[in-house]
Amino acid sequence: MINDTMVPWPADLAEVYRAAGCWRGRPLGSYVWDWAERWGERTAVVDGDHRLSYLDLALSVDALAERFALLGLRPGDSVLVQLPNRWEFVVVTLACFRLGVVPVMMLPPHREHELTSIGAHVRAKALIVPDVWRGYDHQALAHRVAASLPEPAQVLVAGSQVRSGSVGLRALLTPRGDGGARRRWLDERAPAASDVALFLLSGGTTGIPKLINRTHDDYEYNIRSCARACAFGPDTVYLAVLPAGHNFTLGSPGILGALHSGGRVVLLPSPHPETAFKAIETERVTATSAVPAVALTWMAAAEAGRYDLSSLRHIHVGGSVLAPEIAARVGPALGCRLQQVYGMAEGLICYTGADAPAEVAHATQGRPVSPYDQLLVVDRDGRPVAPGEIGELLTRGPYTPRGYYDAADQNAISFTPDGWYRTGDLVRVTADGHVVVCGRVKELINRGGEKISAGEIETLVQELPQVAEVAAVPVPDPAVGERVCVFVRLNPGHRLTLEEIASALTARGLAAFKIPERLEVVDELPHTPVGKPDKKALRRLLVAAPAEVA
Ligand code: AMP
Ligand code: DBH
């Protein structure tokens, strides 16, 4: 059912992608045994004291895939996966791929609202959750959600507190019986490479996240292309600190990219600098990825110099705007090279090269990872802009699906009739093909008809030495419609006034109508589950209590 609902790529293009070697025609689960045969006893996954070799991983994945089948899960069924960054996440994900069960990558902060509506939409047959996580009873939540779904759904629980009515995950992971026979049995039932392998969620901060169906073929290419852009290899030790189910951490190149390269994955359930630095030091981590907010806390924490971060070669930073001045400080602060990444769960990923010169690594968000990625920058009427001009980015390519899952109305908005995905991002493309993200189409603040890009203001305010983090949002205004409001978290011991912001931005040559007219200094900015500034929450703050916040 899921595969029939997917908007396919045009047949002629699919042929081109196959002939070019982008799509290899193999399901993702089949690589698990390639890796095991090649890397055997080498460590694949590290979670605290728990270590899995490539061989352990393949055996556990097969054992779990078989148990999924015995529980009644069929290829093409979906399951909601809501697991923290622990080793079980990796085994569950790969076991789903192996059997052709489609995991929906929920994030740990999701609750009844998201789980119920998404579970119903994909007709989920199971929920895979931790027992208790960060003091929250996910097992109880999963049972409430399961009871409200249109079809019966089982609750599989990672952890030791497995209640009656739930299935304990750990007991399913122990390989039993004839591994060879099981492997053949699973090989015979392997899904088609053109089938949906997983659902990613778009991180949109409005409404229920949209479901992005990624096929085995397209996601394997996504992973492989990102791994190449990041120079991943068998000596890579990748630290996963952002939510594992997010496209950035999962496959760009992230966890799956490290495994596909014969490297090692170190999982941490939080990006807290103390635990992250300790893991970098003890596991000799070579690469990690972070949103700008996390990179900033790491840069501040690294000043204390208490940990040996010398093994770190690259940090991938993306997900929201990174001001060039901050970008220039990332490498020196952490003793590694910065690779900026501009990506989306909908497909297209751009990376600055692993050894890009400073002017590229600091001032651009990189180049597409595949030569088959197509970029088109258009004006408000959908006409291509002149080279180097700013416009909305449209994209198509071998790992950018042609539509959201079962969402005809949304697809009519988000995709053009000829299959371009409208990113909603304002970008310009440099002469040598690097993308510079300039803002979001919908984050234009309309001040009496003058359009102001929130991203442009954020980049400039972020450069002020007082500022740790900033987000610009429109504040409704009776006279001009909207004015620019900046929410700012200050660096410790600093103060900042609206007048200081105005004079600094004026000195930078910013047009007067763009100067922020309201400043809110806050202790913490709200973030989305992956760590992007949560603009919707900030707007709500301004609308809900205008007088109080003012
Ligand atoms: P999603 O569609 O939820 O996967 O989120 C992808 C969106 O995050 C992109 O369309 C951009 O708006 C934003 N984004 C990702 N990387 C960057 C970046 N390096 N700079 C600015 N925005 C980014
Ligand atoms: O923001 C994103 O969604 C994102 C950022 C960097 C992403 O999906 C990715 C890399 O793959």
Side-chain angles (χ1 to χ4, degrees):
M1 188 204 73
I2 280 172
N3 293 311
D4 301 338
T5 314
M6 192 183 86
V7 183
W9 279 266
D12 53 338
L13 257 184
E15 215 27 71
V16 170
Y17 296 154
R18 276 187 205 105
C22 307
W23 295 354
R24 288 180 165 170
R26 288 184 55 183
L28 276 164
S30 72
Y31 290 96
V32 172
W33 279 104
D34 284 22
W35 305 337
E37 272 159 15
R38 182 124 188 242
W39 309 112
E41 297 298 338
R42 283 177 54 129
T43 302
V45 178
V46 180
D47 170 7
D49 294 335
H50 197 84
R51 302 172 96 83
L52 289 170
S53 71
Y54 274 95
L55 195 56
D56 296 333
L57 184 63
L59 291 168
S60 307
V61 165
D62 272 15
L64 184 59
E66 182 187 52
R67 299 301 292 264
F68 279 167
L70 293 172
L71 284 169
L73 296 176
R74 300 273 164 267
D77 285 347
S78 327
V79 301
L80 304 188
V81 175
Q82 187 185 35
L83 292 172
N85 292 15
R86 307 297 306 269
W87 64 276
E88 291 96 332
F89 173 90
V90 181
V91 181
V92 163
T93 300
L94 293 171
C96 288
F97 294 165
R98 188 91 167 98
L99 189 63
V101 165
V102 185
V104 185
M105 295 298 172
M106 306 301 301
L107 301 176
H110 288 140
R111 293 291 178 264
E112 218 136 352
H113 183 57
E114 292 90 2
L115 291 167
T116 307
S117 58
I118 291 173
H121 192 181
V122 300
R123 309 187 88 75
K125 298 294 190 313
L127 292 94
I128 308 183
V129 298
D131 45 6
V132 172
W133 182 249
R134 301 231 154 97
Y136 186 83
D137 188 342
H138 282 269
Q139 184 166 199
L141 169 68
H143 279 286
R144 287 200 302 279
V145 171
S148 76
L149 291 181
E151 289 174 45
Q154 316 196 42
V155 174
L156 278 65
V157 175
S160 52
Q161 302 170 44
V162 181
R163 291 185 212 138
S164 74
S166 307
V167 179
L169 195 63
R170 292 211 176 133
L172 308 185
L173 290 167
T174 323
R176 255 180 287 213
D178 182 350
R182 182 183 302 119
R183 182 175 166 185
R184 282 189 299 279
W185 189 86
L186 287 164
D187 284 344
E188 282 159 18
R189 281 157 189 76
S194 55
D195 284 353
V196 176
L198 73 162
F199 281 116
L200 296 171
L201 306 185
S202 78
T205 44
T206 51
I208 298 283
K210 296 179 275 287
L211 288 160
I212 304 158
N213 39 217
R214 304 294 300 261
T215 67
H216 293 270
D217 264 337
D218 98 60
Y219 210 57
E220 191 273 333
Y221 184 54
N222 185 112
I223 294 159
R224 182 165 25 105
S225 306
C226 289
R228 194 190 323 108
C230 295
F232 271 23
D235 59 348
T236 293
V237 181
Y238 173 76
L239 175 67
V241 293
L242 301 177
H246 191 275
N247 188 42
F248 190 8
T249 330
L250 181 65
S252 309
I255 295 169
L256 296 173
L259 295 175
H260 212 19
S261 311
R264 176 179 302 183
V265 174
V266 180
L267 295 159
L268 269 188
S270 135
H272 194 278
E274 189 78 17
T275 48
F277 288 3
K278 203 178 281 179
I280 292 170
E281 178 177 293
T282 52
E283 297 296 336
R284 305 296 296 158
V285 167
T286 64
T288 187
S289 37
V291 289
V294 167
L296 282 163
T297 60
W298 285 10
M299 287 156 69
E303 277 172 22
R306 278 193 291 128
Y307 291 95
D308 173 10
L309 306 180
S310 62
S311 58
L312 200 58
R313 296 199 286 250
H314 291 104
I315 180 166
H316 315 147
V317 178
S320 58
V321 219
L322 181 69
E325 280 65 18
I326 308 282
R329 285 173 27 218
V330 174
L334 299 173
C336 66
R337 297 187 79 107
L338 165 71
Q339 284 190 266
Q340 290 206 51
V341 47
Y342 161 59
M344 55 205 72
E346 285 84 351
L348 178 71
I349 314 270
C350 300
Y351 257 105
T352 60
D355 49 13
E359 64 272 19
V360 170
H362 300 166
T364 86
Q365 280 64 55
R367 265 199 289 238
V369 295
S370 162
Y372 293 90
D373 283 318
Q374 292 177 283
L375 307 186
L376 187 63
V377 184
V378 300
D379 64 18
R380 229 168 290 160
D381 302 318
R383 282 189 298 257
V385 300
E389 294 293 305
I390 297 178
E392 181 184 8
L393 177 67
L394 312 186
T395 185
R396 293 193 299 208
Y399 60 95
T400 301
R402 297 303 180 108
Y404 292 107
Y405 168 71
D406 189 23
D409 292 350
Q410 182 64 47
N411 288 343
I413 298 168
S414 298
F415 293 82
T416 69
D418 42 4
W420 295 90
Y421 169 59
R422 297 183 208 271
T423 64
D425 297 322
L426 292 169
V427 308
R428 65 184 169 81
V429 179
T430 65
D432 57 357
H434 288 91
V435 175
V436 179
V437 182
C438 306
R440 298 267 313 151
V441 174
K442 291 205 190 93
E443 281 184 20
L444 285 178
I445 299 163
N446 191 338
R447 189 184 187 284
E450 306 268 25
K451 309 293 188 304
I452 306 159
S453 155
E456 182 183 17
I457 306 303
E458 287 160 2
T459 303
L460 292 171
V461 175
Q462 182 77 72
E463 288 167 9
L464 304 178
Q466 299 94 326
V467 173
E469 209 184 339
V470 55
V473 289
V475 53
D477 181 89
V480 291
E482 293 176 346
R483 295 181 194 271
V484 180
C485 170
V486 285
F487 280 85
V488 169
R489 179 168 65 82
L490 293 173
N491 281 316
H494 282 87
R495 298 165 58 86
L496 184 66
T497 64
L498 191 58
E499 290 68 34
E500 286 167 325
I501 293 180
S503 63
L505 269 50
T506 305
R508 288 292 308 268
L510 190 72
F513 73 88
K514 297 182 183 173
I515 302 290
E517 293 173 272
R518 182 156 154 186
L519 168 67
E520 296 297 337
V521 175
V522 289
D523 293 336
E524 271 304 324
L525 281 179
H527 290 110
T528 66
V530 76
K532 306 185 192 195
D534 188 343
K535 298 279 179 96
K536 195 179 157 214
L538 290 172
R539 282 168 182 242
R540 259 200 317 262
L541 223 55
L542 288 174
V543 176
E548 251 167 71
V549 191

